[in-house]
Each structure stands twice: as C-alpha cells, then as structure tokens.
Amino acid sequence: DKEEADKNAEQEIQGNDYKKTTVTESKAYDGEDASFTNCTIDFASQKDSVLKMANGTLGVFGSTVKSYGYDAVVSDNGRANVENSTVSASEANTLNIDSTSKVTLKDSTIKSDGKITTMFGAVVKGGTLELDKSTIATSKFSSVSLLGGSTFEMSNGSKLEVTDKGVTPIVIAGNEVSKGEVDDTNTNSTNINIDESTISTNKAPLLQLTDCVADVVISNSDITCDSVFDNVSNGVKQSKGSTLNITLKNQELTGDITPDYNTKVNLNIGSGSSYKGAIDVDSRQVVNVKLATDAKLTLTNTSYVDALELEDTAFNNLDLAGNILYYNMNNPLNDFLQGETHTLGSGELVPYGGPQ
C-alpha cells in the first residue's frame, strides 16, 4: 500500500551505508567501512554490541543508538566518528575503545539512561577518545575510565556530567581492575587534555588514580569538584603507586589534593592560573608545586610540599590565608628558602624534614 511504499522510500540502504533506517539487530564490521545517517539503532542483547567496528571506520551521523544489555559502540583497531547523535546504554559501557582505536564525538551526547545499574560512559583501553562540543552524562558510574596509554581530549564546550553523589568523573588505572587488584604490567602514561570545557561532580573528586602515570592539562575550563584528587576507593588498592602531573593554563581550580602513600603529584600552576585548596594535609607523599609569576596559590588549610618552585621569590603570589605551608628543607629545589621560617601575612612558610 501507499504507506508501506512511503516507508520503504525513506529507508535507504546501500551496502554498509544506512540512511533514515531503523535497525533492530547487532551490526559488526571487520575490514570494511560503514555509516548510519539519520537512523534509529535500537538493540537489546546480553551478548552482542549494538555497533562494532574492527579494522575500518564507522560513521554515526544524526542518529540515535540505544543498547539495553551490552556495549553500544565498540571500536577494535578501528575508528568511529559520531556527529549530531545520541548514544546510550542501560546495562553496559556506552563506548568501548581498544588500544589501537580512535573515537571522535562532535555535537553528540553519550549517556546512561539509568533504567538499571549502569557502567562507564566510555572505557578507553589505551586508545583515543576526543570530545568536540559533546557531553558524557552518567549517574552511578564514572564518565570515563582510562587505562594505561590512553588519550582523552575534550574541547569546544564539551561536558562531563555526573549526577550521583560521590562518583568521580575521570578514573585512571594502569590496566584492568579485577577483584580489587590492578594488573600493573602497563606503565604507559595516560594523557588528558581539557580545554574550554565543563566538568561538574556531586561531592566527588575530579580524578582517581590507581597504579598509573597521568599527564593532565586543564585550560580555560569550568571545573566544579569536591577535591582535585583523592585516595583510591571502592576497595581498590595500589601496588606500584601512581604519578599525577597536572598543569593549569589560564585556569582556575579549587579543591584539595590528598594523595595516599603511593602517589606522587606534580602541580604546575601556569601563567594566568590559580589554585585554591589544601595540599597533602597529612604529609603522606611527595607533592611538588611550581608557580608562574602571574599565577596564584591560595591555601585553605595546613599543607605540605616536597618542592616549592617559585618564579616570584618575593612570595607576591602566595596567599597562605593564615595557614602554614611546610616545605621540605632537604630538597635542593627549596634552597632559596634557606631552611628558615618565612612569615607571609598571617601565615607562615615553615621547614620540615620531608615526607616519611
């Protein structure tokens, strides 16, 4: 009849290219490209991904992808470009990206719809995830899980939104976490670049690290978090420890930095930037702070640093706000302080013997 003919006319399928089509089955490709334009892809399975690309390029444009039991989009040694689309999963990771893959999101939303317990918005297992004016919205689990060697970039108004209390948006591990332990064989650095973006948490740290090395650069962004970095949680214990290198460029950042005994933090407060919070209040580990001439450090509690590198040695950009900042008198980088106590307003720079 005419209605059926009109429906068929709207659906255009040419090989692996789908347009204006409703898809209700899993689609997997290996060694060939595929694209979905203005499509609805709706699939429920406990065994199969909705879309899986291996050794090729997957395009999702102006479409909606829904998964109810398994990962929505999997990239295995492939590339996926998602534009003007929404991808969601209710019982699995929404994106699953292996070590040789790259997924780019533009003007798109990745979300968990919260019908049942949800997993990560995206799991990146050493590959690359780029957000361009895109959003990852989750509730019970983190926005992004990054394993060693991964690259995560967000820019141009992108957002990470976590609604549930105490959920960290970005978690980083050296490798897979299983039964509270981390496979520490992967020591590759994870790289994170956040520019002109927004991250909001509900009384949770911005970052959580487990047995990994992470290089994080934040610039021109709106970050709302309870703390910048806190101890690992959820029963996961570090065996090798972590190193967090965090650089601020034209960026304001507020929140405590509280590393555990196995974590080293290097905080570089670059030009035009400011940091406000407490640093290593329990003197647990090594925290090094570098402060540019036109940057500012404001303390909210007693803090400890192993190295304090100041371009302005007249302390004009240090606001201790009545607190004590302890520095390691045995670190050569602090020799300019001459092992003495320096009174700065109502606060003090005080020498101590270094982290134990």
Side-chain angles (χ1 to χ4, degrees):
D1 57 14
K2 185 177 183 303
E3 182 179 347
E4 185 66 22
D6 290 344
K7 180 179 179 181
N8 290 336
E10 289 181 357
Q11 296 186 356
E12 304 173 21
I13 304 174
Q14 296 182 350
N16 296 331
D17 296 329
Y18 292 73
K19 296 181 180 179
K20 302 178 182 179
T21 306
T22 298
V23 179
T24 57
E25 61 183 0
S26 176
K27 294 292 183 179
Y29 304 93
D30 191 347
E32 52 187 349
D33 299 340
S35 68
F36 295 83
T37 304
N38 299 326
C39 294
T40 297
I41 307 157
D42 198 322
F43 181 62
S45 172
Q46 295 292 333
K47 297 181 180 180
D48 295 314
S49 306
V50 179
L51 298 176
K52 183 173 183 178
M53 172 55 67
N55 307 300
T57 299
L58 171 68
V60 181
F61 311 106
S63 298
T64 299
V65 183
K66 294 183 178 180
S67 170
Y68 301 97
Y70 211 70
D71 299 340
V73 176
V74 175
S75 184
D76 181 7
N77 191 32
R79 181 183 177 93
N81 300 312
V82 181
E83 295 186 18
N84 299 301
S85 298
T86 299
V87 184
S88 65
S90 59
E91 296 182 60
N93 304 309
T94 308
L95 298 180
N96 198 323
I97 306 166
D98 85 334
S99 62
T100 54
S101 293
K102 180 178 181 178
V103 175
T104 301
L105 273 62
K106 185 174 183 180
D107 295 303
S108 295
T109 299
I110 301 299
K111 65 180 181 179
S112 55
D113 57 23
K115 288 184 177 179
I116 309 179
T117 302
T118 56
M119 297 298 285
F120 300 108
V123 174
V124 187
K125 301 177 179 178
T128 298
L129 173 62
E130 296 180 349
L131 306 186
D132 180 359
K133 204 176 181 180
S134 295
T135 298
I136 298 181
T138 57
S139 54
K140 299 180 183 299
F141 287 84
S142 301
S143 306
V144 183
S145 172
L146 305 169
L147 301 185
S150 298
T151 297
F152 174 56
E153 298 183 357
M154 55 188 300
S155 62
N156 195 22
S158 292
K159 298 179 180 179
L160 299 185
E161 300 174 346
V162 182
T163 56
D164 280 22
K165 186 176 180 179
V167 178
T168 304
I170 302 174
V171 295
I172 311 162
N175 219 315
E176 297 277 10
V177 177
S178 177
K179 296 181 180 180
E181 297 181 355
V182 176
D183 175 1
D184 59 11
T185 58
N186 190 342
T187 58
N188 294 327
S189 176
T190 293
N191 297 292
I192 300 173
N193 195 329
I194 302 166
D195 181 46
E196 295 184 344
S197 297
T198 299
I199 301 178
S200 58
T201 72
N202 185 354
K203 297 187 181 302
L206 173 66
L207 303 165
Q208 177 182 301
L209 279 67
T210 309
D211 287 326
C212 64
V213 177
D215 295 318
V216 182
V217 179
I218 308 175
S219 56
N220 307 298
S221 295
D222 183 6
I223 309 294
T224 303
C225 56
D226 189 58
S227 59
V228 176
F229 170 73
D230 210 336
N231 302 330
V232 294
S233 58
N234 302 323
V236 178
K237 303 297 183 183
Q238 295 198 98
S239 59
K240 294 181 63 177
S242 297
T243 298
L244 170 62
N245 304 310
I246 183 166
T247 299
L248 307 181
K249 297 181 178 180
N250 194 33
Q251 177 66 44
E252 295 181 1
L253 187 62
T254 298
D256 294 350
I257 296 176
T258 312
D260 66 9
Y261 289 103
N262 289 320
T263 301
K264 177 180 179 180
V265 178
N266 297 307
L267 173 62
N268 183 359
I269 309 171
S271 180
S273 298
S274 65
Y275 168 78
K276 182 178 181 179
I279 301 173
D280 195 19
V281 294
D282 298 320
S283 183
R284 294 184 177 204
Q285 196 47 270
V286 173
V287 179
N288 301 317
V289 176
K290 186 174 183 178
L291 192 63
T293 301
D294 61 343
K296 187 173 183 179
L297 170 65
T298 302
L299 293 186
T300 58
N301 204 342
T302 298
S303 298
Y304 291 81
V305 295
D306 186 57
L308 181 63
E309 297 184 64
L310 303 177
E311 292 183 3
D312 179 358
T313 55
F315 314 122
N316 291 316
N317 47 3
L318 279 182
D319 183 0
L320 302 187
N323 297 293
I324 297 176
L325 176 58
Y326 290 95
Y327 67 91
N328 182 2
M329 62 186 299
N330 297 314
N331 190 323
L333 291 174
N334 298 326
D335 284 350
F336 73 99
L337 296 171
Q338 299 181 331
E340 299 176 351
T341 296
H342 301 264
T343 300
L344 305 179
S346 58
E348 289 183 322
L349 266 173
V350 177
Y352 87 116
Q356 303 299 315

